[in-house]
Amino acid sequence: MNPALPLAVLGLVDAALSGYRAYAGRDARIRRRRAVVRAALRGLAVGSVLLPAPALTAGAVLLLAEDPDRAYEVLADARAR
C-alpha cells in the first residue's frame, strides 16, 4: 500500500488541529463554536497549501536529475535520517 494518502490525511488533520490550538491556546474552556471552526478551517487551508511543497520538491529533484536512480537513493537516505 502506498503511504502517501494516509500521510496526506494525517498532515491535513494536524494542520486543522494546529489552527484550533493557535486559537484556543492552553485553555479551551470557553465555548465559541463558530470561532473554533473558523480557526480549524484556517489551519486546514494553510496546511493544504503547504503540504504539497515537499512532494513537489522531491518530484522536481527526480525529474531534473541526470541519474534518477542515484537521486532517489539520496532522497531515501535523507528520509531515513
Side-chain angles (χ1 to χ4, degrees):
M1 180 178 158
N2 189 352
L5 184 63
L7 286 176
V9 170
L10 182 63
L12 291 175
V13 169
D14 180 55
L17 293 176
S18 294
Y20 167 75
R21 172 65 185 223
Y23 172 77
R26 293 192 178 270
D27 189 6
R29 287 185 284 181
I30 298 173
R31 305 288 183 220
R32 295 185 184 127
R33 182 175 300 274
R34 191 172 288 163
V36 166
V37 170
R38 194 170 45 238
L41 289 175
R42 189 177 306 128
L44 182 63
V46 170
S48 64
V49 169
L50 296 178
L51 188 64
L56 292 175
T57 302
V61 166
L62 289 173
L63 286 175
L64 298 174
E66 290 181 18
D67 184 12
D69 292 330
R70 175 71 182 131
Y72 185 81
E73 288 176 15
V74 170
L75 287 173
D77 289 342
R79 177 190 54 101
R81 279 186 246 140

Coordinates of all heavy atoms in Angstrom, one line a residue:
M1 N 0.8 -1.2 0.0 CA 0.0 0.0 0.0 C 0.9 1.2 0.0 O 1.9 1.3 0.7 CB -0.9 0.0 1.2 CG -1.8 1.2 1.3 SD -2.9 1.0 2.7 CE -3.3 2.7 3.0
N2 N 0.5 2.2 -0.8 CA 1.2 3.5 -0.9 C 0.9 4.3 0.4 O -0.3 4.6 0.6 CB 0.9 4.2 -2.1 CG 1.7 5.4 -2.4 OD1 2.5 5.8 -1.6 ND2 1.6 6.0 -3.6
P3 N 1.9 4.7 1.1 CA 1.6 5.5 2.4 C 1.3 7.0 2.1 O 1.1 7.7 3.0 CB 2.8 5.3 3.2 CG 3.9 5.2 2.2 CD 3.3 4.4 1.0
A4 N 1.3 7.4 0.9 CA 1.1 8.8 0.6 C -0.3 9.4 1.0 O -0.3 10.4 1.6 CB 1.3 9.1 -0.9
L5 N -1.3 8.7 0.7 CA -2.6 9.1 1.1 C -2.9 9.2 2.6 O -3.3 10.3 3.1 CB -3.7 8.3 0.4 CG -5.1 8.8 0.6 CD1 -5.3 10.1 0.0 CD2 -6.1 7.8 0.0
P6 N -2.6 8.2 3.4 CA -2.7 8.3 4.8 C -1.9 9.4 5.4 O -2.3 10.1 6.3 CB -2.3 6.9 5.3 CG -2.5 6.0 4.2 CD -2.2 6.8 3.0
L7 N -0.6 9.6 4.9 CA 0.2 10.6 5.4 C -0.3 12.0 5.0 O -0.2 12.9 5.8 CB 1.6 10.5 4.9 CG 2.4 9.3 5.5 CD1 3.8 9.2 4.8 CD2 2.6 9.5 7.0
A8 N -0.9 12.1 3.9 CA -1.5 13.4 3.5 C -2.7 13.7 4.4 O -2.9 14.9 4.8 CB -2.0 13.4 2.0
V9 N -3.6 12.7 4.7 CA -4.7 12.9 5.5 C -4.2 13.3 6.9 O -4.8 14.2 7.6 CB -5.6 11.7 5.6 CG1 -6.6 11.7 6.7 CG2 -6.2 11.5 4.2
L10 N -3.2 12.6 7.4 CA -2.7 12.9 8.7 C -2.1 14.3 8.8 O -2.3 15.1 9.8 CB -1.6 11.9 9.1 CG -0.9 12.1 10.5 CD1 -1.9 11.8 11.6 CD2 0.2 11.1 10.6
G11 N -1.4 14.8 7.7 CA -0.9 16.1 7.7 C -2.0 17.2 7.7 O -1.9 18.2 8.3
L12 N -3.1 16.9 7.0 CA -4.3 17.8 7.0 C -5.0 17.9 8.3 O -5.4 19.0 8.8 CB -5.2 17.5 5.9 CG -4.7 17.7 4.4 CD1 -5.7 17.2 3.4 CD2 -4.4 19.1 4.2
V13 N -5.1 16.8 9.0 CA -5.7 16.7 10.3 C -4.8 17.5 11.3 O -5.3 18.3 12.1 CB -6.0 15.3 10.8 CG1 -6.3 15.2 12.3 CG2 -7.1 14.6 10.0
D14 N -3.5 17.3 11.2 CA -2.6 18.0 12.0 C -2.7 19.5 11.8 O -2.7 20.3 12.7 CB -1.2 17.5 11.8 CG -0.2 18.3 12.7 OD1 -0.3 18.3 13.9 OD2 0.8 18.8 12.1
A15 N -2.8 19.9 10.5 CA -3.0 21.4 10.2 C -4.2 22.0 10.8 O -4.2 23.1 11.4 CB -2.9 21.6 8.7
A16 N -5.3 21.2 10.7 CA -6.6 21.7 11.3 C -6.5 21.8 12.8 O -6.9 22.8 13.4 CB -7.7 20.8 10.9
L17 N -5.9 20.8 13.4 CA -5.8 20.9 14.9 C -4.8 22.0 15.3 O -4.9 22.5 16.4 CB -5.3 19.5 15.4 CG -6.4 18.4 15.3 CD1 -5.8 17.1 15.7 CD2 -7.6 18.7 16.0
S18 N -3.8 22.2 14.5 CA -2.9 23.3 14.8 C -3.6 24.7 14.7 O -3.3 25.6 15.6 CB -1.7 23.3 13.8 OG -0.9 22.2 14.0
G19 N -4.5 24.8 13.8 CA -5.3 26.1 13.7 C -6.2 26.2 15.0 O -6.3 27.3 15.5
Y20 N -6.8 25.1 15.4 CA -7.6 25.1 16.6 C -6.7 25.5 17.8 O -7.1 26.3 18.6 CB -8.2 23.8 16.8 CG -8.8 23.7 18.2 CD1 -10.0 24.3 18.6 CD2 -8.2 22.9 19.2 CE1 -10.5 24.2 19.8 CE2 -8.7 22.8 20.5 CZ -9.9 23.5 20.8 OH -10.4 23.4 22.0
R21 N -5.5 24.9 17.9 CA -4.6 25.1 19.0 C -4.2 26.6 19.1 O -4.0 27.2 20.1 CB -3.5 24.2 19.0 CG -2.3 24.4 19.9 CD -2.8 24.2 21.4 NE -1.7 24.6 22.3 CZ -1.4 23.9 23.3 NH1 -2.0 22.8 23.6 NH2 -0.4 24.3 24.0
A22 N -3.9 27.1 17.9 CA -3.4 28.5 17.8 C -4.5 29.5 18.3 O -4.3 30.5 18.9 CB -3.0 28.9 16.4
Y23 N -5.8 29.1 18.1 CA -6.9 29.9 18.5 C -7.2 29.7 20.0 O -7.3 30.7 20.8 CB -8.2 29.6 17.7 CG -9.4 30.3 18.3 CD1 -9.5 31.7 18.1 CD2 -10.3 29.7 19.1 CE1 -10.6 32.4 18.6 CE2 -11.4 30.3 19.6 CZ -11.5 31.7 19.4 OH -12.6 32.3 19.9
A24 N -7.2 28.5 20.4 CA -7.7 28.2 21.8 C -6.6 28.4 22.8 O -6.9 28.6 24.0 CB -8.2 26.7 21.8
G25 N -5.3 28.2 22.4 CA -4.3 28.4 23.4 C -4.3 27.2 24.3 O -4.6 26.0 24.0
R26 N -3.9 27.4 25.6 CA -3.8 26.3 26.5 C -5.1 26.0 27.2 O -5.3 24.9 27.8 CB -2.7 26.6 27.6 CG -1.3 26.6 27.0 CD -0.3 26.7 28.1 NE 1.0 26.7 27.6 CZ 1.7 25.6 27.3 NH1 1.2 24.4 27.5 NH2 2.9 25.7 26.9
D27 N -6.0 27.0 27.2 CA -7.2 26.8 28.0 C -8.4 26.9 27.0 O -8.8 28.1 26.6 CB -7.3 27.8 29.1 CG -8.5 27.6 30.0 OD1 -9.1 26.5 29.9 OD2 -8.7 28.4 30.9
A28 N -9.0 25.8 26.7 CA -10.1 25.9 25.7 C -11.5 25.7 26.4 O -12.4 25.2 25.9 CB -10.0 24.8 24.7
R29 N -11.6 26.2 27.6 CA -12.9 26.1 28.4 C -14.0 27.0 27.8 O -15.2 26.6 28.0 CB -12.7 26.3 29.8 CG -11.9 25.2 30.5 CD -11.8 25.4 32.0 NE -10.8 26.5 32.2 CZ -10.5 26.9 33.4 NH1 -11.1 26.5 34.4 NH2 -9.6 27.9 33.5
I30 N -13.7 28.1 27.3 CA -14.7 29.0 26.8 C -15.2 28.4 25.4 O -14.4 28.2 24.5 CB -14.1 30.4 26.6 CG1 -13.7 31.0 27.9 CG2 -15.2 31.3 25.9 CD1 -13.0 32.3 27.9
R31 N -16.5 28.2 25.3 CA -17.0 27.6 24.1 C -17.4 28.7 23.1 O -18.3 29.5 23.3 CB -18.3 26.8 24.4 CG -18.0 25.7 25.5 CD -17.2 24.6 24.9 NE -17.1 23.6 25.9 CZ -16.0 22.9 26.2 NH1 -14.9 23.1 25.4 NH2 -15.9 22.0 27.1
R32 N -16.7 28.7 22.0 CA -17.0 29.6 20.9 C -16.9 28.8 19.6 O -16.0 28.8 18.9 CB -16.0 30.7 20.8 CG -16.0 31.7 22.0 CD -15.1 32.8 21.8 NE -15.1 33.6 23.0 CZ -14.0 34.0 23.6 NH1 -12.8 33.6 23.2 NH2 -14.1 34.7 24.7
R33 N -18.0 28.1 19.4 CA -18.0 27.1 18.3 C -17.7 27.7 16.9 O -16.9 27.1 16.2 CB -19.4 26.4 18.3 CG -19.5 25.3 17.2 CD -20.8 24.5 17.3 NE -21.0 23.9 18.5 CZ -20.6 22.7 18.8 NH1 -19.8 22.0 18.0 NH2 -20.9 22.1 20.0
R34 N -18.3 28.8 16.6 CA -18.1 29.3 15.3 C -16.6 29.8 15.1 O -16.0 29.6 14.1 CB -19.0 30.5 15.1 CG -19.1 31.0 13.6 CD -20.1 32.0 13.4 NE -21.4 31.4 13.5 CZ -22.6 32.1 13.7 NH1 -22.6 33.4 13.8 NH2 -23.7 31.4 13.7
A35 N -16.1 30.4 16.1 CA -14.7 30.9 16.0 C -13.7 29.7 16.0 O -12.7 29.7 15.3 CB -14.3 31.8 17.2
V36 N -14.0 28.6 16.7 CA -13.2 27.4 16.7 C -13.2 26.8 15.4 O -12.1 26.4 14.8 CB -13.6 26.5 17.8 CG1 -13.0 25.1 17.7 CG2 -13.3 27.0 19.2
V37 N -14.4 26.6 14.8 CA -14.5 26.0 13.4 C -13.7 26.9 12.4 O -13.0 26.4 11.5 CB -16.0 25.8 13.0 CG1 -16.1 25.5 11.6 CG2 -16.6 24.8 13.9
R38 N -13.9 28.2 12.5 CA -13.2 29.1 11.6 C -11.7 28.9 11.7 O -10.9 28.9 10.7 CB -13.6 30.5 11.8 CG -13.2 31.5 10.8 CD -13.9 32.9 10.9 NE -13.8 33.4 12.3 CZ -14.9 33.7 13.0 NH1 -16.1 33.6 12.5 NH2 -14.7 34.2 14.2
A39 N -11.2 28.8 13.0 CA -9.7 28.7 13.2 C -9.2 27.3 12.6 O -8.1 27.3 12.0 CB -9.4 28.8 14.7
A40 N -10.0 26.3 12.8 CA -9.6 25.0 12.3 C -9.6 25.0 10.8 O -8.7 24.4 10.2 CB -10.6 23.9 12.9
L41 N -10.6 25.6 10.2 CA -10.6 25.7 8.7 C -9.5 26.6 8.2 O -8.9 26.3 7.1 CB -12.0 26.3 8.2 CG -13.2 25.3 8.4 CD1 -14.4 26.1 8.0 CD2 -13.0 24.1 7.6
R42 N -9.1 27.6 8.9 CA -7.9 28.4 8.5 C -6.7 27.6 8.6 O -5.8 27.6 7.7 CB -7.8 29.6 9.4 CG -6.8 30.6 8.9 CD -6.7 31.9 9.8 NE -8.1 32.5 10.0 CZ -8.6 32.8 11.1 NH1 -8.0 32.5 12.2 NH2 -9.8 33.3 11.2
G43 N -6.5 26.8 9.6 CA -5.4 25.9 9.7 C -5.4 24.8 8.6 O -4.3 24.5 8.0
L44 N -6.5 24.3 8.3 CA -6.6 23.3 7.2 C -6.3 24.0 5.9 O -5.6 23.3 5.0 CB -8.1 22.8 7.2 CG -8.4 21.7 6.2 CD1 -7.5 20.5 6.4 CD2 -9.8 21.3 6.2
A45 N -6.7 25.2 5.6 CA -6.4 25.9 4.4 C -4.9 26.1 4.2 O -4.3 25.8 3.2 CB -7.1 27.2 4.3
V46 N -4.3 26.6 5.3 CA -2.8 26.8 5.2 C -2.1 25.4 5.1 O -1.1 25.3 4.3 CB -2.3 27.5 6.5 CG1 -0.8 27.5 6.6 CG2 -2.9 28.9 6.6
G47 N -2.5 24.4 5.8 CA -1.9 23.1 5.6 C -2.1 22.5 4.2 O -1.1 21.9 3.7
S48 N -3.2 22.7 3.6 CA -3.4 22.2 2.3 C -2.6 22.9 1.2 O -2.3 22.3 0.2 CB -4.9 22.2 1.9 OG -5.4 23.5 1.8
V49 N -2.2 24.2 1.5 CA -1.4 24.9 0.6 C 0.1 24.5 0.8 O 0.8 24.3 -0.2 CB -1.5 26.4 0.8 CG1 -0.4 27.2 0.1 CG2 -2.9 26.9 0.3
L50 N 0.5 24.3 2.0 CA 1.9 23.9 2.3 C 2.2 22.5 2.2 O 3.4 22.1 2.0 CB 2.3 24.4 3.7 CG 2.2 25.9 3.9 CD1 2.6 26.3 5.3 CD2 3.1 26.7 2.9
L51 N 1.2 21.6 2.3 CA 1.5 20.1 2.3 C 2.1 19.6 1.0 O 3.0 18.8 1.0 CB 0.2 19.4 2.6 CG 0.3 17.9 2.8 CD1 1.2 17.6 4.1 CD2 -1.0 17.3 3.0
P52 N 1.8 20.1 -0.2 CA 2.4 19.6 -1.4 C 3.8 20.0 -1.7 O 4.5 19.5 -2.5 CB 1.5 20.1 -2.5 CG 0.2 20.5 -1.9 CD 0.6 20.9 -0.5
A53 N 4.3 21.0 -0.9 CA 5.7 21.5 -1.2 C 6.7 20.4 -1.1 O 7.6 20.4 -2.0 CB 6.0 22.6 -0.2
P54 N 6.8 19.6 -0.1 CA 7.8 18.5 -0.1 C 7.7 17.5 -1.2 O 8.7 17.1 -1.8 CB 7.7 17.8 1.3 CG 6.9 18.7 2.1 CD 6.1 19.6 1.2
A55 N 6.5 17.2 -1.6 CA 6.3 16.2 -2.7 C 6.7 16.9 -4.0 O 7.3 16.2 -4.8 CB 4.8 15.8 -2.7
L56 N 6.4 18.1 -4.2 CA 6.8 18.8 -5.5 C 8.3 19.0 -5.5 O 8.8 18.8 -6.6 CB 6.1 20.1 -5.6 CG 4.5 20.1 -5.8 CD1 4.0 21.5 -5.7 CD2 4.2 19.4 -7.1
T57 N 8.9 19.2 -4.4 CA 10.3 19.4 -4.4 C 11.0 18.0 -4.7 O 11.9 18.0 -5.6 CB 10.8 19.8 -3.0 OG1 10.2 21.1 -2.7 CG2 12.3 20.0 -3.0
A58 N 10.6 17.0 -4.1 CA 11.1 15.6 -4.4 C 10.9 15.3 -5.9 O 11.8 14.7 -6.6 CB 10.6 14.6 -3.5
G59 N 9.7 15.6 -6.4 CA 9.4 15.3 -7.8 C 10.3 16.1 -8.7 O 10.8 15.5 -9.7
A60 N 10.5 17.3 -8.4 CA 11.4 18.1 -9.2 C 12.8 17.6 -9.2 O 13.5 17.6 -10.3 CB 11.3 19.6 -8.8
V61 N 13.3 17.2 -8.0 CA 14.6 16.7 -7.9 C 14.8 15.4 -8.8 O 15.8 15.3 -9.5 CB 15.0 16.4 -6.5 CG1 16.2 15.5 -6.4 CG2 15.2 17.7 -5.7
L62 N 13.8 14.6 -8.8 CA 13.8 13.3 -9.6 C 13.7 13.6 -11.1 O 14.4 12.9 -11.9 CB 12.7 12.4 -9.1 CG 12.9 11.7 -7.7 CD1 11.7 10.9 -7.3 CD2 14.2 10.9 -7.7
L63 N 12.9 14.6 -11.4 CA 12.7 14.8 -12.9 C 13.9 15.6 -13.5 O 14.2 15.4 -14.6 CB 11.5 15.7 -13.1 CG 10.1 14.9 -12.9 CD1 9.0 15.9 -13.1 CD2 10.0 13.9 -14.0
L64 N 14.6 16.4 -12.7 CA 15.7 17.2 -13.2 C 17.1 16.5 -13.0 O 18.1 17.1 -13.5 CB 15.7 18.6 -12.6 CG 14.4 19.4 -12.8 CD1 14.5 20.7 -12.1 CD2 14.3 19.7 -14.3
A65 N 17.1 15.4 -12.3 CA 18.4 14.8 -12.1 C 18.9 14.1 -13.3 O 18.2 13.5 -14.1 CB 18.2 13.7 -10.9
E66 N 20.2 14.1 -13.4 CA 20.9 13.3 -14.6 C 20.7 11.8 -14.4 O 20.5 11.1 -15.3 CB 22.3 13.7 -14.7 CG 22.6 15.2 -15.1 CD 24.0 15.5 -15.2 OE1 24.9 14.6 -15.3 OE2 24.3 16.7 -15.3
D67 N 20.9 11.4 -13.1 CA 20.7 10.0 -12.8 C 19.6 9.8 -11.8 O 19.8 10.0 -10.6 CB 22.1 9.5 -12.2 CG 22.0 8.0 -11.9 OD1 21.1 7.3 -12.4 OD2 22.9 7.5 -11.2
P68 N 18.4 9.6 -12.2 CA 17.2 9.5 -11.3 C 17.4 8.4 -10.2 O 16.9 8.6 -9.1 CB 16.0 9.2 -12.2 CG 16.5 9.6 -13.6 CD 18.0 9.4 -13.6
D69 N 18.0 7.3 -10.6 CA 18.2 6.2 -9.6 C 19.0 6.7 -8.4 O 18.7 6.5 -7.2 CB 18.8 5.0 -10.2 CG 17.8 4.3 -11.2 OD1 16.6 4.4 -11.0 OD2 18.3 3.7 -12.1
R70 N 20.1 7.4 -8.7 CA 21.0 8.0 -7.7 C 20.3 9.0 -6.9 O 20.4 9.1 -5.6 CB 22.3 8.5 -8.3 CG 23.2 9.2 -7.3 CD 23.9 8.2 -6.4 NE 24.7 8.9 -5.5 CZ 24.7 8.7 -4.1 NH1 23.9 7.8 -3.6 NH2 25.5 9.4 -3.4
A71 N 19.5 9.9 -7.5 CA 18.7 10.9 -6.8 C 17.7 10.3 -5.9 O 17.5 10.8 -4.8 CB 18.1 11.8 -7.8
Y72 N 17.1 9.2 -6.3 CA 16.1 8.5 -5.5 C 16.8 7.9 -4.2 O 16.3 8.0 -3.1 CB 15.4 7.4 -6.3 CG 14.3 6.8 -5.5 CD1 13.1 7.4 -5.3 CD2 14.5 5.5 -4.8 CE1 12.1 6.8 -4.6 CE2 13.5 5.0 -4.1 CZ 12.3 5.6 -4.0 OH 11.3 5.0 -3.2
E73 N 18.0 7.4 -4.4 CA 18.8 6.8 -3.3 C 19.1 7.9 -2.3 O 19.0 7.7 -1.1 CB 20.0 6.1 -3.8 CG 19.8 4.8 -4.5 CD 21.1 4.2 -5.0 OE1 22.2 4.7 -4.6 OE2 21.0 3.3 -5.9
V74 N 19.5 9.1 -2.8 CA 19.8 10.2 -1.9 C 18.6 10.7 -1.2 O 18.7 10.9 0.1 CB 20.4 11.4 -2.7 CG1 20.6 12.6 -1.9 CG2 21.8 11.0 -3.3
L75 N 17.4 10.8 -1.8 CA 16.2 11.2 -1.2 C 15.8 10.1 -0.1 O 15.3 10.5 1.0 CB 15.1 11.4 -2.2 CG 15.2 12.6 -3.0 CD1 14.1 12.6 -4.1 CD2 15.0 13.9 -2.2
A76 N 16.0 8.8 -0.4 CA 15.6 7.8 0.5 C 16.6 7.8 1.7 O 16.1 7.6 2.9 CB 15.7 6.4 -0.1
D77 N 17.8 8.1 1.5 CA 18.8 8.2 2.6 C 18.4 9.4 3.5 O 18.5 9.4 4.7 CB 20.2 8.4 2.1 CG 20.8 7.1 1.5 OD1 20.2 6.0 1.8 OD2 21.8 7.2 0.8
A78 N 18.0 10.5 2.9 CA 17.6 11.7 3.7 C 16.3 11.4 4.5 O 16.2 11.9 5.6 CB 17.4 12.9 2.7
R79 N 15.4 10.6 3.9 CA 14.2 10.3 4.6 C 14.5 9.4 5.8 O 13.9 9.5 6.9 CB 13.3 9.5 3.7 CG 12.0 9.0 4.3 CD 11.2 8.1 3.4 NE 12.1 7.0 2.9 CZ 12.0 5.7 3.5 NH1 11.2 5.5 4.4 NH2 12.8 4.8 3.0
A80 N 15.5 8.6 5.7 CA 15.9 7.7 6.8 C 16.5 8.4 8.0 O 16.5 8.0 9.1 CB 16.8 6.6 6.3
R81 N 17.1 9.6 7.7 CA 17.8 10.3 8.7 C 16.8 11.1 9.5 O 16.1 11.6 9.8 CB 18.8 11.3 8.1 CG 20.1 10.6 7.8 CD 21.1 11.5 7.4 NE 21.4 11.2 6.0 CZ 21.6 12.0 5.0 NH1 21.6 13.3 5.2 NH2 21.9 11.6 3.8

